[in-house]
Amino acid sequence: MSLIFDIKRYAINDGPGIRITLFMKGCPLSCVWCHNPEGIRNGKDKLYTAKKCLGCGTCLKVCPNGALTLTPEGIVTDKQKCVLCGRCAEECPAMAIEISGTEYTAEYLMHEIEKEIPFMDQSGGGVTFCGGEPLLHPKFLIDMLKRCGQQGIHRVVDTTLLARKETVDEVMRNCELLLIDLKSMDSTVHQTFCDVPNELILENIRRVAEADFPYYIRIPLIEGVNADEKNIKLSAEFLASLPRHPEIINLLPYHDIGKGKHAKLGSIYNPKGYKMQTPSEEVQQQCIQILTDYGLKATIGG
């Protein structure tokens, strides 16, 4: 069993072709700009959308622990009493309450993946395991990768690579492509914005390249964090020094989509108020040029 917080069908940005992407709960990083904050905790979460709430009180009636209160601002949950049983989400007529994280068996997920095989075959697609961080769950992940491999399904793992080297090796033996996040070359900056240093991540990127394994690099491009010339040059120098270059580097300009999700979770987006902006078109093109000058293939988005 594994906790999955989303299953995205017809995905076109998670590897080649049309794919089905499985989002696994739990991540060792806690990036300030995270687009999927509901995927960080390795456990279920409750999301509440106040503007959808009818104020009907149905959720209060079905809650077995009396954890909910209706206030002028909407429903308030007592987290000490709430056991995340999901009854409120099941009964809410407006779907204002959601539970993020559903336990699925490997058999159930394979059944869902197999439904998409016609689209995969026509487009050269497959399945992508994402998160959160799928390498946090190596036993389940490897089992799923092997099951997909037995059916000839193309397998991609989207990862931070903050994992044991043995896990990275085992994943490489059981998939066709890695999508690897590279947030910052400066470990102190990485610690500030992601809650962890980056040394192991860089070691594992080198490990993948030395294994001559196909990989993409994804850089979330953020003014005020990593879009400066120094960081991009250091990134280019590092990647160009590797025995195998990434197939492509995807520069992903910053946006604050995570803000709305934090509101639903009852948490605060960017609580320390770091200044983060979308880089200008000029800065984006400068980053592309720097990477290109080092013999690397780069693009905006993807």
Side-chain angles (χ1 to χ4, degrees):
M1 301 281 280
S2 181
L3 272 179
I4 304 292
F5 69 91
D6 195 12
I7 299 176
K8 183 168 70 173
R9 303 173 194 275
Y10 316 117
I12 58 172
N13 294 314
D14 299 326
I18 297 173
R19 315 190 68 80
I20 179 171
T21 302
L22 308 183
F23 292 78
M24 302 174 72
K25 283 278 271 174
C27 185
L29 279 65
S30 185
C31 302
V32 175
W33 59 83
C34 183
H35 298 167
N36 296 314
E38 74 276 29
I40 295 175
R41 201 172 73 88
N42 190 13
K44 294 183 179 182
D45 286 297
K46 181 189 289 187
L47 287 76
Y48 171 66
T49 307
K51 65 181 180 181
K52 286 186 178 180
C53 183
L54 303 175
C56 63
T58 300
C59 56
L60 277 67
K61 297 172 185 176
V62 300
C63 179
N65 296 324
L68 306 178
T69 304
L70 180 60
T71 74
E73 289 73 38
I75 297 295
V76 174
T77 299
D78 184 334
K79 295 184 178 180
Q80 298 299 316
K81 294 181 179 180
C82 178
V83 295
L84 295 168
C85 66
R87 290 289 305 281
C88 54
E90 292 170 4
E91 299 296 332
C92 178
M95 294 187 288
I97 300 176
E98 309 165 66
I99 298 296
S100 175
T102 302
E103 285 191 330
Y104 291 115
T105 63
E107 290 75 18
Y108 177 88
L109 291 173
M110 283 305 303
H111 179 67
E112 294 302 301
I113 291 168
E114 288 163 5
K115 291 179 184 177
E116 309 303 315
I117 287 178
F119 302 102
M120 299 175 191
D121 289 346
Q122 291 171 16
S123 67
V127 59
T128 298
F129 294 89
C130 187
E133 173 50 73
L135 270 64
L136 267 186
H137 314 281
K139 185 176 179 180
F140 189 85
L141 174 63
I142 297 300
D143 178 44
M144 287 296 301
L145 290 173
K146 288 181 176 179
R147 288 171 185 255
C148 292
Q150 289 166 2
Q151 300 225 29
I153 297 171
H154 186 272
R155 302 157 296 179
V156 171
V157 178
D158 187 349
T159 175
T160 67
L161 278 191
L162 188 66
R164 295 172 62 248
K165 295 172 182 178
E166 295 79 6
T167 299
V168 175
D169 290 345
E170 185 70 6
V171 168
M172 283 194 287
R173 285 192 288 268
N174 289 282
C175 75
E176 282 70 52
L177 177 68
L178 293 176
L179 310 182
I180 304 171
D181 294 340
L182 180 58
K183 321 287 190 181
S184 174
M185 291 300 296
D186 186 306
S187 192
T188 300
V189 171
H190 203 280
Q191 176 84 54
T192 298
F193 288 97
C194 304
D195 269 358
V196 294
N198 70 359
E199 284 84 1
L200 180 57
I201 292 170
L202 297 181
E203 287 175 21
N204 279 330
I205 292 175
R206 182 171 291 280
R207 189 177 190 84
V208 169
E210 289 176 348
D212 198 28
F213 191 82
Y215 66 103
Y216 295 0
I217 289 291
R218 290 179 155 184
I219 301 177
L221 200 62
I222 307 169
E223 194 76 51
V225 179
N226 65 355
D228 55 284
E229 183 177 347
K230 179 182 178 181
N231 181 68
I232 298 303
K233 280 189 174 180
L234 287 173
S235 301
E237 289 172 4
F238 170 68
L239 295 170
S241 75
L242 300 177
R244 177 169 183 148
H245 292 176
E247 311 299 301
I248 194 164
I249 301 169
N250 297 126
L251 300 181
L252 309 174
Y254 168 76
H255 57 77
D256 62 0
I257 190 173
K259 186 180 294 185
K261 292 185 177 182
H262 272 285
K264 292 180 181 182
L265 286 166
S267 53
I268 300 172
Y269 179 79
N270 188 14
K272 293 185 179 180
Y274 294 118
K275 292 183 179 180
M276 301 184 297
Q277 298 180 34
T278 304
S280 67
E281 182 68 26
E282 181 182 2
V283 169
Q284 293 179 36
Q285 292 307 315
Q286 286 173 350
C287 293
I288 291 286
Q289 189 61 56
I290 291 170
L291 294 163
T292 301
D293 288 345
Y294 277 82
L296 301 165
K297 184 179 178 181
T299 186
I300 301 296

